[in-house]
Amino acid sequence: MKAFSYGRARSLADAAATANKPGFKIIAGGTNLLDLMKLQVETPSALVDINRLPLDKIEETSEGGLRIGALVRNSDLAADPRVRQHYGVLSRALLAGASAQLRNKATTAGNLLQRTRCYYFYDITKPCNKRVPGSGCSALAGFNRIHAILGGSEACIATHPSDMAVAMRALDAKVETTDHEGRTRAIPIADFQRLPGRTPEVESALASGEIVTAVTLPPPPPGVQVYRKVRDRASYAFALVSVAAIVDSVRGRIRSARLAFGGVAPKPWRIAAAEQRLTNEAVGARSFDAAADAALEGARGAGANDFKIPLTRRTLHAVLGEITRI
Amino acid sequence: MDESIFPNVEVTRRTVIETGTTALLLSSLPHGVLASEPDQADRTPASIELLVNGHAHTLALDPRTTLLDALREHLTLTGTKKGCDHGQCGACTVLVDGRRVNSCLTLAVMHDGQSITTVEGLAFDQDLHPMQAAFVEHDGYQCGYCTSGQICSAVGMLAESREGMPSYVTADLIQPLTELSDNEIRERMSGNICRCAAYPNIVAAIKQAMGEQT
């Protein structure tokens, strides 16, 4: 690990101001950042520890939703009675991610901002446009079994590894931020993570000196919530494909549906057309197929990840079948 | 503490930077610890206090020191093992303020003032902790390298379960958890890898310890 200075932020303003300095990094749970620092993928000159700032509360909003502090640990969020009761898809997604030890450390904001697990991003001896812009993408013609089938570019086909963010995408969460000048904004989660395009090193909508303070959830939508994760091991592995679904159906007819996919794209993947193809349709293979067609429009494998296209379709079928039987 | 790594340590000096203002943080940065001068870094350690297994320790550490290395290399508590050093195997699991974490993926300076329990701190005098005794009784290991992490993790896991924490395989998120099935134990312990695959005996040991504690 490269040497760095360490300081503890006493206030949010403090943290935002220091986050604006070149080479400075905010550290919260640290489970991803320190891993990357050990490999010298990340080489900050200073770490600003925000763990003791009062951003660890889950509060009910006046609109009937929840406001989740940036430092709420993944385990605490998954176990919160309000989340379990009203946002089961989020609780399930969190519990599907990492191990219990990591969830005890990992924070809400850190989970959103974690980096891809692309092998070549982690290997500093290999070209990677995300790590060294302009150096090339080793995954395009390399080992790309875990890589994106949607939303990638000629510069990068890395996936976003979060389960939590997929559920939050289905729930229409907003990411609240503040910056070094004290300005605040709420970014819809759809706009928070970026597609790679020609600048895969730019992963989020955060500006320099802007830090995440909370994630807000609107009131829970009607319907049954399911999170299904398909992976190489039964536990403690990243998703090959995951589906967060919230479907309101009655007597074999779907009234509304929300679908977000993980493991297949550089950000949680949600396609309005796929949801529209389920709305006011009868439950069954025909509508499920139509939704899968829309969700997978433009999907393209890079070789070893071609299997994700049919796997996504089958996983969606399984989830919709399960959810409409409940 | 390893004197050879920190030849000029003032153990009582508090060099962890508590920032009141940005200017203070920026001006307080010791020149020697910038990345451009990595060889200077070891000479500006941070002084922290850790309460480990009930004993207070003041340590002067390079900020890079993980909690795992602080325990093993500076406090010679070598019961906690370094397996992968990347949070993938769980051999380094300890309890921080009662919660299980991977000590390899956190910095010691982040835990200033906090309470750490390692496998060395579980026994009551000469009596093994019920989880340790159960692992011995059920032969919950082969080579033993992952065992201290398994045991600390299992102790943390039972505490989480008593608090009602659900898992990915919990069928009903709303109803209170009544008992842990084998499947629940396996899911909740998935962050601890056993290369010898002593898993059936580990599950048996945890079930026994669980019965004794309730």
Side-chain angles (χ1 to χ4, degrees):
Chain A
M1 206 184 292
K2 295 274 192 191
F4 56 86
S5 312
Y6 170 87
R8 194 174 290 145
R10 280 193 179 149
S11 70
L12 199 54
D14 215 20
T18 49
N20 199 32
K21 301 293 166 195
F24 279 57
K25 277 254 173 211
I26 300 279
I27 187 164
T31 55
N32 186 218
L33 179 58
L34 290 170
D35 190 26
L36 293 167
M37 286 169 64
K38 288 183 181 193
L39 298 166
Q40 300 192 10
V41 175
E42 294 272 17
T43 53
S45 57
L47 287 184
V48 182
D49 182 351
I50 60 167
N51 278 290
R52 300 191 188 190
L53 296 183
L55 297 172
D56 58 350
K57 306 284 186 298
I58 305 173
E59 301 158 322
E60 285 156 40
T61 64
S62 53
E63 295 81 39
L66 284 182
R67 184 169 188 276
I68 304 155
L71 291 175
V72 173
R73 308 290 152 171
N74 286 181
S75 49
D76 293 326
L77 183 56
D80 185 274
R82 294 160 295 188
V83 176
R84 286 155 71 175
Q85 178 88 43
H86 302 295
Y87 303 97
V89 67
L90 178 58
S91 189
R92 292 271 181 216
L94 284 157
L95 294 168
S99 68
Q101 288 97 315
L102 291 169
R103 293 193 294 270
N104 277 340
K105 268 267 162 204
T107 63
T108 305
N111 188 313
L112 286 177
L113 291 167
Q114 67 178 308
R115 313 296 301 275
T116 183
R117 291 333 193 265
C118 172
Y119 324 121
Y120 302 102
F121 175 71
Y122 265 72
D123 182 350
I124 60 169
T125 68
K126 298 290 186 297
C128 169
N129 286 322
K130 192 184 276 296
R131 182 166 31 76
V132 182
S135 62
C137 173
S138 304
L140 278 171
F143 291 97
N144 47 39
R145 184 169 179 276
I146 65 170
H147 289 79
I149 52 169
L150 291 158
S153 70
E154 288 305 307
C156 182
I157 53 170
T159 54
H160 192 269
S162 172
D163 293 293
M164 181 195 81
V166 179
M168 286 180 170
R169 180 75 182 89
L171 291 165
D172 282 332
K174 284 200 170 84
V175 183
E176 293 188 355
T177 69
T178 188
D179 73 5
H180 58 288
E181 291 177 346
R183 290 172 298 205
T184 62
R185 62 173 175 153
I187 307 167
I189 194 162
D191 303 329
F192 185 73
Q193 274 131 353
R194 293 286 176 87
L195 292 180
R198 285 191 286 185
T199 54
E201 72 279 11
V202 181
E203 296 179 350
S204 80
L206 286 185
S208 176
E210 185 175 21
I211 65 174
V212 176
T213 53
V215 173
T216 54
L217 302 179
V224 179
Q225 303 183 12
V226 166
Y227 189 77
R228 175 74 67 90
K229 183 172 179 177
V230 182
R231 46 186 158 172
D232 285 331
R233 296 191 294 246
S235 183
Y236 197 14
F238 290 99
L240 294 167
V241 171
S242 71
V243 178
I246 306 171
V247 177
D248 184 20
S249 68
V250 63
R251 290 184 294 278
R253 186 156 291 273
I254 297 168
R255 289 196 287 216
S256 66
R258 298 180 182 205
L259 307 171
F261 298 84
V264 294
K267 60 189 281 189
W269 201 251
R270 188 171 169 194
I271 298 294
E275 299 172 1
Q276 284 155 12
R277 292 198 188 176
L278 292 171
T279 307
N280 298 321
E281 294 295 329
V283 168
R286 179 191 285 213
S287 59
F288 297 174
D289 254 335
D293 286 343
L296 287 163
E297 193 181 332
R300 191 158 57 105
N305 65 348
D306 293 352
F307 74 96
K308 285 188 177 184
I309 297 172
L311 183 59
T312 303
R313 179 177 295 276
R314 288 199 296 269
T315 307
L316 180 61
H317 266 267
V319 165
L320 291 174
E322 174 191 340
I323 209 167
T324 51
R325 276 195 302 274
I326 292 172
Chain B
M1 203 184 69
D2 188 339
E3 295 291 333
S4 66
I5 296 178
F6 297 123
N8 305 313
V9 162
E10 291 174 20
V11 176
T12 54
R13 202 179 61 155
R14 196 170 202 80
T15 50
V16 174
I17 310 155
E18 293 270 5
T19 69
T21 66
T22 312
L24 177 60
L25 174 61
L26 294 174
S27 62
S28 301
L29 284 177
H31 281 301
V33 296
L34 294 175
S36 56
E37 302 172 79
D39 56 329
Q40 298 288 309
D42 289 350
R43 295 179 200 150
T44 54
S47 178
I48 61 160
E49 238 180 62
L50 294 180
L51 190 67
V52 183
N53 300 329
H55 302 286
H57 297 272
T58 303
L59 292 170
L61 299 170
D62 182 311
R64 286 174 287 186
T65 313
T66 61
L67 179 58
L68 173 62
D69 285 341
L71 293 169
R72 286 182 55 85
E73 309 297 331
H74 297 267
L75 296 174
T76 60
L77 289 168
T78 54
T80 307
K81 302 303 183 198
K82 182 180 285 191
C84 67
D85 210 23
H86 286 278
Q88 297 172 5
C89 75
C92 68
T93 303
V94 300
L95 303 171
V96 175
D97 290 339
R99 305 185 83 176
R100 52 179 171 161
V101 303
N102 300 110
S103 61
C104 75
L105 279 191
T106 192
L107 299 172
V109 288
M110 293 162 68
H111 297 286
D112 189 17
Q114 290 185 316
S115 172
I116 318 293
T117 304
T118 70
V119 72
E120 291 95 338
L122 290 177
F124 312 105
D125 291 328
Q126 295 304 305
D127 295 329
L128 291 181
H129 184 282
M131 190 66 75
Q132 293 173 304
F135 267 69
V136 172
E137 189 172 325
H138 289 273
D139 208 12
Y141 42 77
Q142 183 172 304
C143 80
Y145 198 79
C146 73
T147 308
S148 50
Q150 297 275 3
I151 289 174
C152 285
S153 184
V155 169
M157 184 274 283
L158 290 189
E160 290 163 9
S161 304
R162 280 194 296 274
E163 289 168 13
M165 170 85 68
S167 86
Y168 186 63
V169 301
T170 305
D172 189 332
L173 288 176
I174 313 299
Q175 294 302 315
L177 204 63
T178 48
E179 62 177 297
L180 291 185
S181 64
D182 287 9
N183 200 28
E184 280 276 6
I185 292 172
R186 288 173 188 279
E187 165 60 26
R188 288 163 190 264
M189 291 295 293
S190 71
N192 291 83
I193 311 295
C194 174
R195 180 65 179 76
C196 308
Y199 298 114
N201 296 3
I202 291 171
V203 172
I206 292 172
K207 286 185 89 162
Q208 175 178 314
M210 188 166 64
E212 287 169 2
Q213 283 183 18
T214 48

